[in-house]
Amino acid sequence: MLPVQENMEILGNSTSKFPTFLLTGIPGLEFAHAWVSIPFCCLYATALSGNSMILLVIIAQQSLHEPMYYFLSMLSAADLGLTVSTMSTTLGILWFDANEISLDMCIIQMFFLHGFACTESGVLVAMAFDRCVAICDPLRYTSILTSYRIIQMGLLMVIRTVVLIVPLLLLLKPLNFCGRNVLSHSYCYHPDVIKLACSDTRANSICGLIDLILTTGVDTPCIVLSYILIIHSVLSISSPQERHKVFSTCVSHLGAVSIFYIPMISLSLVHRYGRSAPKVVHSMMANMYLLFPPVLNPIIYSVKTKQIRKAILSLLLMK
């Protein structure tokens, strides 16, 4: 009986409402974390400098004070938030092997991480609406997308984010966590944290499903509908050159949508169905999800949008 009692005591001691989680770097490459940190630093530097540059030129250039560029500045702000929210823990692991994080710090990180991801999804919907109005109803573009309406849309995105994310994270506080709480990534990710709980998580799962329906489940159909209307309008143009010119204004946005949703859906599928997948797959998918959009969005918009490219060159050359 004594060994059984001891085992029960050990189990009871390992169950806690105030746990410490262990973050994971790159599984199998722990010995080379210092070298792995070099490309990560380059990607973080690219994301920070690229999005800061986009924000700076839109603020500084009067000619860019238009709805399309206001939404682009929101996208860059969300990308900066995504980058900063995970940079400290990721580089902390790679440089100092600092892989411990408390539940409270985990919740704070998830608030910013999931919050900025939710905001970015909303911004992509607003940008799709902007392109839809510009192409389908150009004569009413300025009367529909006024500065006041853009501010309203921005506030709606922030309110939606807070209303959806805060209850989801507060539901983590009553949970008990058992054993070694090893996370799959270098940052706290809600589905990853939930898997480690040893108490009832049905409320968390229901809240997470509601959040998913009210974000991706609403935003994706809205974007698809916008592009159905855009394609219908473009096909009604008789000149092939004009059709190409009009639709080319959507290329940057389509790129931004692809690099945001494809890694996000892939990571969700890996968490749900890829439990037997190697840990390195989870790690790489998680890093792609958070690093690809902030790194690639400024590059896409700088290359494909002539006004942004000219403004950046003008700022760099001080003309």
Side-chain angles (χ1 to χ4, degrees), residues 62-304:
Q62 191 70 31
S63 60
L64 299 180
H65 291 182
E66 297 177 9
M68 175 183 172
Y69 302 111
Y70 288 144
F71 290 130
L72 178 56
S73 67
M74 293 180 194
L75 185 69
S76 292
D79 280 336
L80 279 172
L82 273 177
T83 303
V84 173
S85 65
T86 60
M87 185 171 64
S88 59
T89 53
T90 300
L91 294 182
I93 292 170
L94 297 177
W95 285 347
F96 310 112
D97 200 28
N99 61 347
E100 291 190 0
I101 186 169
S102 67
L103 177 61
D104 288 337
M105 290 304 296
C106 211
I107 288 173
I108 291 169
Q109 184 178 50
M110 284 190 287
F111 173 77
F112 289 106
L113 168 62
H114 293 291
F116 282 117
C118 179
T119 302
E120 181 153 341
S121 181
V123 173
L124 290 172
V125 175
M127 295 176 88
F129 177 69
D130 168 78
R131 291 299 83 210
C132 185
V133 174
I135 293 169
C136 300
D137 198 1
L139 296 179
R140 297 178 59 211
Y141 179 71
T142 52
S143 62
I144 292 173
L145 285 170
T146 60
S147 297
Y148 178 68
R149 191 156 289 155
I150 291 168
I151 292 169
Q152 284 182 316
M153 292 169 75
L155 286 173
L156 186 62
M157 293 174 210
V158 173
I159 292 168
R160 181 183 75 160
T161 296
V162 173
V163 168
L164 292 179
I165 300 300
V166 170
L168 182 70
L169 299 180
L170 289 179
L171 284 172
L172 291 171
K173 292 293 286 182
L175 296 180
N176 289 313
F177 294 87
C178 311
R180 295 183 71 248
N181 298 313
V182 181
L183 298 170
S184 304
H185 315 309
S186 58
Y187 55 83
C188 294
Y189 182 61
H190 186 263
D192 201 21
V193 174
I194 284 296
K195 287 191 299 185
L196 300 176
C198 55
S199 48
D200 188 4
T201 60
R202 278 178 296 181
N204 304 76
S205 299
I206 291 168
C207 188
L209 180 61
I210 292 169
D211 283 11
L212 186 65
I213 292 168
L214 294 178
T215 51
T216 308
V218 171
D219 295 351
T220 305
C222 286
I223 293 171
V224 171
L225 178 61
S226 296
Y227 273 97
I228 290 171
L229 296 173
I230 287 169
I231 291 168
H232 181 266
S233 182
V234 168
L235 291 176
S236 66
I237 300 171
S238 56
S239 168
Q241 290 83 7
E242 207 49 40
R243 281 203 299 265
H244 179 269
K245 182 180 177 183
V246 170
F247 196 70
S248 66
T249 62
C250 301
V251 171
S252 298
H253 179 254
L254 281 171
V257 169
S258 300
I259 62 175
F260 178 75
Y261 281 108
I262 291 174
M264 181 184 72
I265 293 169
S266 301
L267 180 62
S268 298
L269 290 174
V270 165
H271 267 280
R272 188 165 293 274
Y273 303 110
R275 293 174 186 267
S276 60
K279 289 184 178 180
V280 70
V281 173
H282 286 259
S283 179
M284 294 310 296
M285 290 303 303
N287 288 313
M288 282 171 56
Y289 163 54
L290 287 183
L291 280 173
F292 269 32
V295 169
L296 294 179
N297 280 338
I299 296 171
I300 290 170
Y301 276 94
S302 299
V303 171
K304 298 301 296 182

